[in-house]
Amino acid sequence: MRAHVASYDLVQPGSLREVLTLLAREPGVYRPLAGGTDVMVVYAGGKLAHTKFVDVHGLRELRGIVVTDDAVTLGALTTYTDVQAEPTLGREFPMMGQAASETGGWAIQNRGTLGGNIANASPAADSPPALLAYDASVELTSTRGARWVSYATYHTGYKTTVRAEDELVTRVRIPRIAPGAQGSRVHMFRKVGPRKAQAISKVSFAACVDVDGTRITSARVALGGVAPVVLRVVATEGALVGADVTTLDVAAIGATLSREVTPIDDIRSTARYRRRVAENLFVELTRKLKAHVGLGSQAR
Amino acid sequence: MTASSVGKPLDRVDGRLKVTGTATFSAEVAVANVAHAVIVGATISKGKITALDVGEAQRVPGVVAVLTHLNAAKVPGADKPTEMTDKVVQVLQNDAVLYDGQPIALVVADTLEHASHAASLVKATYAAEAAICEMDKEIGAGFAPKAAPGRPPPDSNRGDIDAALATAFARVDATYTTPCENHNPLEMHATIAVFQGEDHLTLYDATQGIFGLRKRISKAFDLKPENVRVISHFVGGGFGSKGSAWSHVFLAAMASRATGRAVKLSITRQQMFAFVGYRPQTIQQVTAAASKDGTLVALRHEVTSATSRFDTFAEPSANVTRMLYACPNVKTSHRLVRLDVATPTFTRAPGEASGSFALESALDELSYSLKMDPLALRLKNYAETDPDEKKPFSSKTLRDCYTQGAAKFGWSKRKPEPRSMRDGNWLVGFGMATATYPSRQSAASALARVKKDGSAQVLAGSQDIGTGTYTIMTQIAADALGMSVERVHFDLGDTTFPETPVSGGSQTASSVGSAVKRAGMAVRTKLIDLAVKGKGGPLNGMSAEQVDAEAGVLVSKQDRTKSDSYEAVLARNGLDQIEEKIDEKEKAERKDHSTHAFGAHFIEVKVDPDFGEVRVSRVVSAFAAGKILNRKTARSQFIGGIVWGLGLALHEHTERDPRTSRVVTKDLADYHVPVHADVPDMDIVMVDEVDPYVNEIGAKGVGEIGIVGVGAAIANAVYHATGKRVRSLPITLDKLL
Ligand SMILES: Cc1cc2nc3c(=O)[nH]c(=O)nc-3n(C[C@H](O)[C@H](O)[C@H](O)COP(=O)(O)OP(=O)(O)OC[C@H]3O[C@@H](n4cnc5c(N)ncnc54)[C@H](O)[C@@H]3O)c2cc1C
């Protein structure tokens, strides 16, 4: 049953400073409300246990995308529609736009925010694998100051993160690479879901691999839906780095990935299926890498 | 003759009201001093309520009453269904809990917010018992349902199936299953109940059957039927779930009587999964056997479906197997098992939708054993007459559906081998299946009236459940009256209007349309009579046969300059209006015919072999359903049915926790239906068909046939794409890896 609106308290301070002060005064009492696309679902289901919220959706300080020579920095309130409209992201970080375009439907893309997605910390969320693959950092801000943490260390367990209760997610930074290096970069994003839109991912996958000639110089591979957190498969990445694309031991590295993921059975799918898909996604990545170096075609 | 309106793709006459939000649905009717009621549902699936603490709820400001089994008035008729659509309801009569979400209390307050909040504060204590929701645990206790009056018996047997099987060249034996699927029309069930004194009741209800509701409620509350008025001007989808009076209607009436106020009760999306019916899960065993040339020699279809512990509804999935193909040896049966769940009900094409999945999948399997094209197999076994009723069809143009559908789809491009067609990374598959649905007609009445201003008013109780009834009745009436649709006002949805049947079984167009047509014709005849025999006028003295009616004007067939308007005829004869009420019965010729609509689906799917994603990429469906009354509203019915078929094939599944029997997919986030992006453009072919026997208007009803066969056509396409036969719906991704 829908929750009782009068049992909830929503405050709307005018500035970031005031919001941070409120969060600092009684940490944990007030929780941020951004686009509300996660919070309101719980509310509508009558299961929103937390009752005090501070609206951050109006904070101008958390909006906007800034492109500098070394990074693209996105305000926490950046929506999925904003992401898709940003040309630098489209050129250099195409997986961001792909993930955004496959998040929910248009209404959710207009309303849901990147900050909310990160703070909500669902292991099946779609942008986080792309953020992990692009080695993003997250800025956490409180009255104590601002700190940048590597997104790779942000999630600590199922729906737990390094963010303290008085901290807001304020910005997300994605490092750029030299313009000339773009050509040697392979990006692969794939969301596997039952519907073409409004699908909660069974598995999502993002990989960003740099190749010098035929040798892999760096690899970041991340998956959603296969572990308590969105997961960087670091052992798999380790096996890829330094390897030659033409002689890649797909089976062995695939087995490594399979050991790294820990999917479960739930009402949305089975562990067996998720593991198979994770393995197949990796095989697809290797095909893409081979096609990149001029071996074989991308088609299966 | 007047230019005909019937058949034209007229926009909905109520379209403007709907898109501007001014169509008044049941929960939106402005009623003075209305109180809001919210149902508290049980959180166990079986047991007894040992204590109910309503103290906190009662202290919420604005709360008017909290009804529970401890204080609610007795409703002796609640558990005494008499009609086929009647259900045993749970209306606070005792402490028993029979299923998850069963009403255990009703909170009435001045606002919906207060009522909802107070409802969340009612605390129940239970003595829970083990509840069973899995069919296989109860299958040993399966039993045969009683045949409903006028409906086919649960079992059938023609020929000698065992002898035929012994000689068959190819044979398929397989078990198919379909899951529980919950009703989720856009508009959730809603009632406003207004007791005036002790013995008059008005119900504004989202219902598919105002007269059935009046009968059930007047009996249960011991009221005279004429003292109960049911009004239902707009219904936001019913699909069978609004064909019965469920618990909430009784509860709203009880609350109105108890509080002396009008009471509005609109159930929540979550409660759609509790007590308003669903398509029950089925287990279907099919044997299909053929001789070498593809001639079917035997069909066996044994169905077990689930029902509640306390009421009976059988999903008649095998009925379609009895009549669809010319097969001499056919044996079918229906069994039920009881579970600790709510009672299932009619769900768009009950029986045909689930049963055709099994039958049409089995035929597809047989086609591969025979190395025969699936369409050729169907054509080989085309039934020229109804093999079950042993009567000629009133009309059957299925062959044209097959050929026109196949041609438009490009069926001939299908490569017979599974996994032989590709589009880049995706495997491509073609699947087809036959669709059929009975064309019913029930007794119905209608009244037509031409007024002195030359406009017409036409009334029939009936309901428009979103199908376009207002529109097609306006068209039928206009043609019958010899008027233009702009001058005809058709109204429905009120038990003070002439009596009509439930809008179920695709029978509204057929039943109400026939009555409306005859009422309109009767008024036209009277007008012509007056013009030729009444006082003066340009047509006076002619014979009635010499006069035509056209856009509200009578004209001489010989000399079209001689004309007389309806207004003039009425004015000259000193009449305010002319009206006729017609009580239309089933058309007599129906008795000697089998009456069905037919169709064929051709569907292309693309399947990702590595991830198991299935995308329906093309749909061509051809239907022969008698006269198409409005090509636009008919197309909407067909595509609506097909979209639901996509859901049935790929998504829909009400999941229960087997430990508690409770539903875990209680909203549209977890209960998946197709989204727009999943639905390709559909090519709907409406094959011309003239049927002089089925009813007065020659139309067969198009509300349900669209979904029939879609499950199989998609499953068959998935097999063709992947070589994987999925016999258990829905075809989720994990079943393909
Ligand atoms: C129909 C539907 C479809 C969806 N589909 C997808 C999908 O395909 N993929 C996907 O990944 N997600 C999906 N979501 C989930 C949701 O839309 C996203 O997670 C979205 O990004 C959340 O952002 P928000 O601003 O709406 O968050 P909110 O609901 O406002 O907040 C979510 C959580 O984050 C916290 N929070 C928000 N902003 C901050 C901040 N700046 N600092 C600290 N904490 C903060 C809140 O306190 C809350 O706990 C869907 C949701 C719906 C309703």
Side-chain angles (χ1 to χ4, degrees):
Chain A
M1 207 165 303
R2 193 171 282 274
H4 182 48
V5 70
S7 311
Y8 292 87
D9 188 14
L10 179 67
V11 296
Q12 206 168 29
S15 69
L16 177 60
R17 169 135 304 282
E18 287 167 273
V19 170
L20 295 177
T21 307
L22 180 72
L23 292 177
R25 199 165 63 218
E26 305 167 278
V29 171
Y30 280 91
R31 280 201 193 152
L33 181 74
T37 60
D38 277 313
V39 172
M40 295 310 288
V41 172
V42 191
Y43 170 83
K47 295 192 190 107
L48 187 58
H50 199 84
T51 60
K52 289 189 185 318
F53 287 87
V54 51
D55 186 2
V56 301
H57 202 244
L59 297 182
R60 295 238 300 289
E61 300 89 327
L62 304 190
R63 291 204 176 269
I65 302 178
V66 177
V67 181
T68 54
D69 282 350
D70 57 348
V72 178
T73 306
L74 306 111
L77 292 177
T78 300
T79 66
Y80 299 104
T81 304
D82 297 337
V83 167
Q84 291 171 74
E86 201 339 281
T88 309
L89 287 178
R91 265 192 319 271
E92 297 177 20
F93 306 100
M95 299 195 290
M96 291 303 297
Q98 264 174 281
S101 72
E102 294 189 41
T103 296
W106 288 353
I108 294 297
Q109 290 171 23
N110 286 334
R111 183 82 196 172
T113 68
L114 207 52
N117 203 225
I118 291 169
N120 191 57
S122 161
D126 292 313
S127 289
L131 289 171
L132 285 174
Y134 288 138
D135 202 21
S137 304
V138 174
E139 184 192 48
L140 301 172
T141 307
S142 67
T143 52
R144 295 174 284 131
R147 59 177 177 135
W148 283 96
V149 298
S150 162
Y151 187 50
T153 62
Y154 176 84
H155 295 285
T156 53
Y158 180 70
K159 293 226 162 192
T160 60
T161 72
V162 298
R163 184 173 71 84
E165 283 178 327
D166 64 343
E167 286 180 312
L168 275 186
V169 174
T170 41
R171 286 188 290 176
V172 180
R173 186 170 62 205
I174 307 176
R176 296 175 77 186
I177 55 170
Q182 279 298 337
S184 54
R185 186 163 256 202
V186 174
H187 314 254
M188 176 183 141
F189 178 83
R190 183 70 159 81
K191 168 173 176 161
V192 178
R195 300 191 289 198
K196 273 188 169 170
Q198 299 290 23
I200 298 175
S201 294
K202 306 282 184 200
V203 178
S204 57
F205 179 98
C208 175
V209 181
D210 294 317
V211 186
D212 181 6
T214 59
R215 194 158 298 279
I216 295 172
T217 55
S218 102
R220 284 181 302 272
V221 180
L223 291 96
V226 295
V229 295
V230 267
L231 186 71
R232 276 268 298 266
V233 280
V234 287
T236 305
E237 292 172 358
L240 285 171
V241 174
D244 192 301
V245 174
T246 57
T247 58
L248 218 48
D249 189 344
V250 176
I253 308 177
T256 302
L257 180 134
S258 195
R259 279 192 299 276
E260 286 188 274
V261 299
T262 53
I264 57 166
D265 284 329
D266 62 18
I267 64 161
R268 297 201 179 108
S269 201
T270 64
R272 181 189 155 277
Y273 169 80
R274 289 179 166 119
R275 184 178 300 280
R276 287 285 298 282
V277 168
E279 292 163 358
N280 289 347
L281 283 162
F282 175 72
V283 175
E284 180 154 333
L285 171 66
T286 62
R287 280 199 211 99
K288 245 192 137 157
L289 288 169
K290 288 186 174 154
H292 175 80
V293 302
L295 278 181
S297 85
Q298 251 175 262
R300 284 165 281 175
Chain B
M1 270 304 288
T2 290
S4 170
S5 165
V6 166
K8 300 258 164 62
L10 185 73
D11 285 344
R12 282 170 192 255
V13 296
D14 52 338
R16 214 167 267 273
L17 291 178
K18 284 196 171 152
V19 298
T20 55
T22 44
T24 309
F25 288 80
S26 298
E28 301 172 329
V29 176
V31 173
N33 193 30
V34 72
H36 299 261
V38 169
I39 292 173
V40 180
T43 56
I44 61 165
S45 300
K46 187 180 191 176
K48 287 203 174 341
I49 305 165
T50 53
L52 262 180
D53 179 358
V54 300
E56 217 186 323
Q58 261 160 344
R59 283 191 293 277
V60 170
V63 168
V64 178
V66 182
L67 302 186
T68 70
H69 69 281
L70 300 170
N71 64 2
K74 292 294 161 217
V75 183
D79 56 0
K80 293 187 188 60
T82 58
E83 307 297 312
M84 194 178 75
T85 52
D86 288 356
K87 301 290 182 181
V88 174
V89 292
Q90 291 69 46
V91 291
L92 313 175
Q93 300 296 294
N94 55 47
D95 61 358
V97 175
L98 304 171
Y99 55 90
D100 177 31
Q102 176 199 307
I104 58 163
L106 185 76
V107 178
V108 187
D110 57 348
T111 66
L112 177 61
E113 289 72 19
H114 285 147
S116 299
H117 181 45
S120 75
L121 300 175
V122 172
K123 285 182 198 69
T125 315
Y126 305 97
E129 294 163 35
I132 298 171
C133 63
E134 291 162 304
M135 278 179 82
D136 51 354
K137 297 214 169 117
E138 291 285 314
I139 205 103
F143 63 98
K146 280 202 223 55
R151 291 286 163 130
D155 292 5
S156 77
N157 193 0
R158 91 173 163 254
D160 182 346
I161 182 151
D162 293 321
L165 284 172
T167 65
F169 168 77
R171 137 175 205 176
V172 169
D173 292 278
T175 302
Y176 303 88
T177 66
T178 63
C180 166
E181 294 159 8
N182 271 92
H183 280 284
N184 274 291
L186 206 54
E187 179 205 31
M188 291 158 290
H189 296 54
T191 304
I192 301 176
V194 192
F195 253 106
Q196 294 106 342
E198 269 300 296
D199 57 357
H200 280 74
L201 174 64
T202 302
L203 293 167
Y204 302 90
D205 189 58
T207 177
Q208 290 175 243
I210 53 177
F211 291 96
L213 187 74
R214 178 174 73 171
K215 192 165 185 181
R216 176 84 171 108
I217 295 292
S218 58
K219 265 197 193 161
F221 286 85
D222 200 16
L223 300 166
K224 292 196 184 109
E226 60 271 26
N227 288 355
V228 176
R229 181 175 177 193
V230 180
I231 297 175
S232 188
H233 287 307
F234 293 99
V235 180
F239 307 106
S241 71
K242 290 173 182 160
S244 306
W246 297 101
S247 301
H248 66 282
V249 185
F250 293 73
L251 290 170
M254 289 161 70
S256 177
R257 192 176 241 179
T259 61
R261 291 180 65 167
V263 171
K264 180 191 294 198
L265 203 178
S266 185
I267 76 170
T268 64
R269 184 57 69 191
Q270 283 71 25
Q271 287 169 343
M272 291 301 300
F273 294 83
F275 49 77
V276 293
Y278 55 90
R279 193 194 300 281
Q281 56 271 55
T282 68
I283 301 172
Q284 306 182 46
Q285 268 150 339
V286 179
T287 299
S291 57
K292 196 164 183 180
D293 67 353
T295 305
L296 281 174
V297 295
L299 283 173
R300 181 164 51 208
H301 194 167
E302 295 169 345
V303 181
T304 305
S305 65
T307 190
S308 65
R309 294 269 179 221
F310 53 87
D311 203 352
T312 300
F313 175 85
E315 174 87 0
S317 306
N319 289 359
V320 59
T321 303
R322 299 173 185 171
M323 54 66 62
L324 195 51
Y325 297 104
C327 178
N329 307 294
V330 177
K331 193 171 182 183
T332 69
S333 66
H334 295 90
R335 297 292 176 268
L336 285 174
V337 298
R338 295 201 182 279
L339 302 175
D340 297 301
V341 296
T343 309
T345 198
F346 313 92
T347 306
R348 203 172 200 165
E352 283 81 4
S354 51
S356 65
F357 165 64
L359 172 65
E360 294 291 294
S361 293
L363 281 193
D364 198 64
E365 298 200 41
L366 192 61
S367 76
Y368 286 93
S369 315
L370 290 163
K371 298 200 173 14
M372 190 170 178
D373 181 274
L375 175 56
L377 177 62
R378 268 102 177 159
L379 284 165
K380 179 90 197 162
N381 295 287
Y382 196 84
E384 300 290 353
T385 57
D386 183 331
D388 185 40
E389 292 187 32
K390 305 206 163 39
K391 289 178 190 169
F393 289 109
S394 61
S395 62
K396 178 174 178 179
T397 321
L398 174 59
R399 198 172 266 117
D400 292 4
C401 296
Y402 286 140
T403 51
Q404 292 184 28
K408 275 208 145 181
F409 182 82
W411 181 256
S412 59
K413 296 195 191 80
R414 173 180 180 272
K415 295 188 194 149
E417 273 302 294
R419 244 185 141 87
S420 61
M421 293 165 64
R422 275 182 175 269
D423 174 13
N425 289 339
W426 296 78
L427 300 169
V428 175
F430 287 3
M432 61 85 52
T434 310
T436 188
Y437 196 75
S439 308
R440 301 199 167 93
Q441 184 184 15
S442 298
S445 303
L447 180 146
R449 172 185 291 155
V450 169
K451 297 194 277 195
K452 66 178 173 192
D453 66 356
S455 71
Q457 187 184 28
V458 181
L459 302 176
S462 202
Q463 306 72 219
D464 188 333
I465 55 176
T467 49
T469 306
Y470 278 111
T471 310
I472 58 167
M473 293 306 156
T474 305
Q475 291 174 278
I476 293 169
D479 283 5
L481 286 161
M483 295 177 62
S484 65
V485 287
E486 293 76 29
R487 299 291 281 155
V488 176
H489 181 81
F490 174 78
D491 210 357
L492 55 66
D494 192 326
T495 48
T496 63
F497 297 168
E499 186 157 347
T500 53
V502 63
S503 289
S506 298
Q507 66 172 353
T508 297
S510 158
S511 311
V512 182
S514 295
V516 163
K517 177 173 179 184
R518 291 232 295 119
M521 302 279 285
V523 170
R524 180 216 287 242
T525 304
K526 264 195 170 175
L527 275 162
I528 293 177
D529 260 18
L530 260 182
V532 298
K533 293 193 197 128
K535 288 190 193 142
L539 304 177
N540 207 275
M542 292 184 177
S543 79
E545 292 74 53
Q546 291 174 304
V547 178
D548 232 357
E550 206 171 273
V553 178
L554 300 175
V555 289
S556 157
K557 288 181 190 171
Q558 275 88 1
D559 178 359
R560 299 194 79 86
T561 61
K562 284 194 182 160
S563 68
D564 200 0
S565 72
Y566 290 2
E567 293 98 309
V569 174
L570 287 173
R572 208 166 42 246
N573 290 281
L575 294 172
D576 281 344
Q577 60 184 36
I578 285 189
E579 70 173 42
E580 277 289 322
K581 178 168 175 272
I582 292 289
D583 299 317
E584 178 79 352
K585 299 273 175 306
E586 270 193 67
K587 195 171 172 73
E589 290 93 322
R590 289 175 58 84
K591 290 211 168 45
D592 307 321
H593 294 91
S594 167
T595 57
H596 288 261
F598 291 94
H601 300 283
F602 297 88
I603 295 183
E604 178 191 87
V605 302
K606 294 187 177 165
V607 183
D608 190 301
D610 291 337
F611 312 127
E613 292 158 306
V614 179
R615 306 288 187 237
V616 175
S617 43
R618 285 196 302 133
V619 176
V620 177
S621 299
F623 299 98
K627 177 142 196 87
I628 297 299
L629 300 168
N630 178 321
R631 298 189 82 77
K632 196 168 185 179
T633 55
R635 182 174 187 275
S636 296
Q637 287 302 302
F638 292 132
I639 65 175
I642 295 167
V643 172
W644 198 343
L646 253 66
L648 172 124
L650 301 176
H651 303 297
E652 289 194 51
H653 182 189
T654 303
E655 297 250 22
R656 288 175 187 275
D657 184 334
R659 297 165 302 184
T660 62
S661 265
R662 299 195 65 196
V663 178
V664 294
T665 49
K666 276 185 198 169
D667 55 38
L668 297 177
D670 285 319
Y671 186 86
H672 276 187
V673 299
V675 298
H676 283 295
D678 295 314
V679 180
D681 243 353
M682 286 178 269
D683 194 344
I684 304 298
V685 181
M686 291 179 242
V687 171
D688 290 333
E689 183 171 77
V690 175
D691 191 326
Y693 308 119
V694 66
N695 53 44
E696 201 55 39
I697 56 173
K700 285 183 172 175
V702 296
E704 290 167 274
I705 188 171
I707 189 173
V708 181
V710 178
I714 292 177
N716 296 344
V718 166
Y719 176 77
H720 183 234
T722 63
K724 285 208 170 70
R725 179 64 66 180
V726 180
R727 300 189 182 89
S728 166
L729 295 183
I731 305 169
T732 48
L733 292 71
D734 51 290
K735 292 178 186 166
L736 294 173
L737 276 205

